[in-house]
Amino acid sequence: MTTHTAIHPQFADLVDLWAPVRQLGSGFEFCEGPVWHPREQHLLFSDMPGDVRRRWDRGGVQEVRRPANKCNGMTYDVELDLIVCEHATSSLIRERPDGRREVLASHFEGMELNSPNDVVVKSDGAIYFSDPWYGRMPVFGVERPRQLGFQGVYRIPPGGGEPQLLVDRYLFDQPNGLCFCPTEDRLFVNDTVQHNIRVFKILPDGRLGPPRLFASGIVSASEPGVPDGMKCDAQGNLWVTGPGGVWVYSIGGELIGKLRVPELVGNLTWGGPDWRTLFLTATHSLYAVDTKVGPRPEPYMKARGGQAAASRPAETPAPAAAVSRNGANKAASGYRLEASRCAMLIQDMQNDVVMEGGAFASSGSPAHCKEQNAIGNAARLAQAARSRGIPVIHVWFVVEKGAPGVTMNAPLFEGLADANALVRGTWGAAAVPGLEALAGDHIVEKSRMSAWEGTRLETVLKALGRDIVIVTGAWTNMSIEHTARTGADKGYFMIVPEDACSTMNAEWHTASVNYALQNVAVVTDVDAVIDATAG
């Protein structure tokens, strides 16, 4: 796994240097224009060569418009109407939810614009956009002659009107990405051909003052990538596509770090319930990476009906203190779990552990597993989880014959070796009937009680972007409790549906559920978890 590059120590305050870049979808031609809907919680992005607009949400990727006039950059206005740069029509468009389409700009001084490329909306309602001529080239647009002899940056005044040219006609070769600083008194514009970023002071009338070179040399002979999409975070740092992924500059223009991405990145935007997911549109794929910082607050993030979604933290489970301590051991009702943050563990549900004829059958574990209906309940929860995009992770205790490498420092491990239990390839180590790993599930092997100790569990969770862990399996007072304790220490939200867990007898199970687990997890049942993840 490749680490991101911290050129200055402060970059680690913006993103974990080992944060995985997750692939959310692939097989596209060239992705661009990502924008997050604060109310409906989905991402729109464009594929110019494919002439299609797509949507991503926790259910996956789907097409929403084809043909799409080879659309590129997109944003929302404060009413959550979609503002779209169209290459094929050389127009800037407003699309309303009811399907109405309004042309905001298509000509300047009686001549067609080149091809609006990227767009931002200021708090006063003014719209700023760049106009290179990529949309008149093959593949990325419709090949045709240019009418304008220059590539500019424009402003549409609040309330509409003719586009105003804001820059010298020959300042830019190909103006591309643009964004405001957090205070909206400066506009940044990059140039793909010149490999630089300029910054302009915004004057009281909304026009631009003289340019100043902010950053240059955003190019590499060894790695693909050029200045294209660009966003400003809440602290004023500038994130711009570049060689190898995304280059990040401080507000003073110092290059402080690079985000490493497997493909050439065309654009980026923040989204997710807490605005801490950075979505990256690349050549053939859509990626996401978690960050420690969010975006500069855009007007649409505070749109009517979108305020709560833009500002609230991601939904989290009820705290352990809210869990009842009566005999039912159920979590407080009405809580919700964001399915896109959840993962389900099925731990130690192996023949030797809970089945008659297994190495540990004399412990009473098969009988208690049946009393709890732990296998059936875990299977029902796993089925619901898969249907909601929640990954299922099977944690299996597996050793080689003779248990080499397992320290005999505790009775549990001594008993394991004496019983010749859980040996790889044997019936005893296999998953119990009904809880076999299915296509798309993950398998983590361990040789200690906790699912975390010496395993790749945390690597899998981070790669999947999951921080709410639902723990099921055997044995409640040992493996389940150890896993919940360690997960809580690591900062994960731990959920234990106790009717999908079992141990040697009901007394030990109840003691663990009522005392130790109450302090480190939300203790609940399978039906409550299914309801909580329903959306």
Side-chain angles (χ1 to χ4, degrees), residues 28-33 45-47 266-267 281-286:
F28 316 129
E29 293 187 47
F30 189 89
C31 300
E32 256 284 5
F45 63 103
S46 55
D47 183 339
N267 213 329
T281 49
T283 41
H284 305 302
S285 305
L286 174 67

Side-chain angles (χ1 to χ4, degrees), residues 156-282:
I156 299 174
E162 293 299 313
Q164 302 166 342
L165 180 64
L166 301 177
V167 297
D168 182 274
R169 294 178 183 233
Y170 305 107
L171 178 63
F172 290 98
D173 283 319
Q174 295 284 21
N176 201 324
L178 69 172
C179 61
F180 296 111
C181 72
T183 55
E184 288 193 342
D185 57 0
R186 281 170 290 175
L187 178 73
F188 297 91
V189 185
N190 66 46
D191 191 308
T192 300
V193 173
Q194 297 176 11
H195 309 129
N196 63 25
I197 303 170
R198 292 181 175 89
V199 59
F200 301 80
K201 182 178 180 180
I202 301 176
L203 303 177
D205 64 358
R207 296 179 184 269
L208 303 182
R212 176 174 61 84
L213 190 64
F214 177 81
S216 60
I218 310 173
V219 66
S220 170
S222 60
E223 289 185 299
V226 291
D228 193 336
M230 184 166 62
K231 295 291 186 294
C232 187
D233 69 26
Q235 299 177 15
N237 303 297
L238 210 62
W239 301 59
V240 59
T241 65
V246 177
W247 293 22
V248 183
Y249 291 86
S250 72
I251 192 64
E254 178 186 10
L255 180 62
I256 59 174
K258 297 179 181 181
L259 205 64
R260 312 298 299 186
V261 184
E263 299 180 50
L264 185 150
V265 182
N267 213 329
L268 64 156
T269 197
W270 273 278
D274 59 357
W275 297 96
R276 294 297 185 274
T277 301
L278 185 65
F279 293 96
L280 305 153
T281 49

Side-chain angles (χ1 to χ4, degrees), residues 301-333:
M301 297 175 185
K302 303 185 288 290
R304 288 197 294 272
Q307 175 69 41
S311 60
R312 71 170 182 257
E315 292 180 10
T316 57
V323 181
S324 62
R325 290 183 179 271
N326 59 25
N329 301 307
K330 301 296 187 283
S333 62

Side-chain angles (χ1 to χ4, degrees), residues 82-97:
L82 188 65
I83 310 297
V84 185
C85 296
E86 293 187 346
H87 277 190
T89 66
S90 295
S91 300
L92 186 69
I93 301 296
R94 176 183 281 122
E95 293 182 6
R96 303 190 186 276

